[in-house]
Amino acid sequence: RTQQMEQATMRSLTDALTGLHNRDFLEKRLQELLDEGHAGTLFMIDLDNFKGINDTYGHIVGDKTLQIFAEVLRTYSREDDIVCRLAGDEFVTFYPELTEREIAAKKAADIIRLFAEKMNSLGYPDVVSVSIGIIMAKGGEDYVSLYNNADKSLYFVKNNGKNAYHFYGEHKIVCEDSSTVVD
């Protein structure tokens, strides 16, 4: 009976399609880490033009796209990292103790690149891409403010060309395609 309850709890905190954790898990676990004073890096992630996949190729391909992206996130995650699907084509990752901007930037660029490679190899090039808003947590912040500021960074990317990443508080985005900085 205890095992059944543990399985039910795990299912309630897991996204059925991708196998990633869900929003409830994110809120609970991230707030715990923040309350314990952990620093780290939060990525707010959105798949650009995802509706085009569903509209053009159907929902089965759309579901497969979400599963592929979940695999990409797992590739760039450690066991203690929080990797979640919020809803639809929105994802969040939190990398505890990742406090170096250059490493976070490389991770974001690698996620964008690997997803593009996987979609190209499946025959869906340039249909869907990845935008990432990033905030560095120093420890002691609260979940809501981190989430909101990462979301602001994400929308900065979305409003300035997509397929890139942006650190909260900076006035530039990095475009993966051309490796250029845009003010």
Side-chain angles (χ1 to χ4, degrees):
R1 183 163 215 191
T2 302
Q3 186 179 15
Q4 288 176 332
M5 289 194 55
E6 288 174 4
Q7 288 173 343
T9 299
M10 185 53 94
R11 278 193 307 272
S12 74
L13 298 174
T14 304
D15 174 63
L17 179 65
T18 63
L20 299 178
H21 292 296
N22 63 20
R23 181 186 299 264
D24 290 340
F25 179 87
L26 170 70
E27 289 178 20
K28 180 178 183 255
R29 183 66 185 129
L30 182 54
Q31 191 60 61
E32 287 173 0
L33 289 172
L34 295 170
D35 288 346
E36 293 168 4
H38 288 274
T41 301
L42 182 78
F43 284 11
M44 177 77 67
I45 309 165
D46 188 71
L47 298 183
D48 305 318
N49 308 313
F50 179 73
K51 186 175 180 330
I53 286 281
N54 283 335
D55 291 350
T56 305
Y57 302 104
H59 287 89
I60 291 174
V61 174
D63 288 351
K64 183 66 178 167
T65 299
L66 295 171
Q67 291 167 336
I68 289 167
F69 188 66
E71 291 172 21
V72 169
L73 292 178
R74 282 187 197 97
T75 299
Y76 292 102
S77 299
R78 304 163 299 187
E79 186 177 329
D80 292 337
D81 296 339
I82 300 172
V83 183
C84 300
R85 177 177 176 214
L86 293 182
D89 62 346
E90 297 173 347
F91 297 81
V92 171
T93 58
F94 183 74
Y95 304 101
E97 312 315 323
L98 174 55
T99 58
E100 295 180 44
R101 186 195 182 286
E102 296 77 25
I103 294 172
K106 181 173 181 351
K107 189 180 290 273
D110 288 347
I111 288 168
I112 292 167
R113 178 195 45 77
L114 182 58
F115 181 66
E117 288 173 5
K118 287 187 174 283
M119 293 305 290
N120 287 342
S121 71
L122 291 173
Y124 304 107
D126 304 320
V127 179
V128 63
S129 60
V130 179
S131 291
I132 304 174
I134 304 171
I135 187 163
M136 309 292 284
K138 294 173 181 64
E141 293 94 335
D142 67 284
Y143 167 79
V144 172
S145 64
L146 275 181
Y147 184 93
N148 285 336
N149 290 333
D151 200 39
K152 289 174 187 174
S153 287
L154 172 64
Y155 278 93
F156 185 87
V157 175
K158 301 289 273 181
N159 291 324
N160 288 282
K162 303 178 181 177
N163 198 35
Y165 61 88
H166 172 70
F167 284 84
Y168 179 76
E170 294 183 1
H171 299 291
K172 61 186 177 184
I173 62 170
V174 179
C175 302
E176 180 57 24
D177 286 345
S178 59
S179 297
T180 60
V181 175
V182 179
D183 287 329

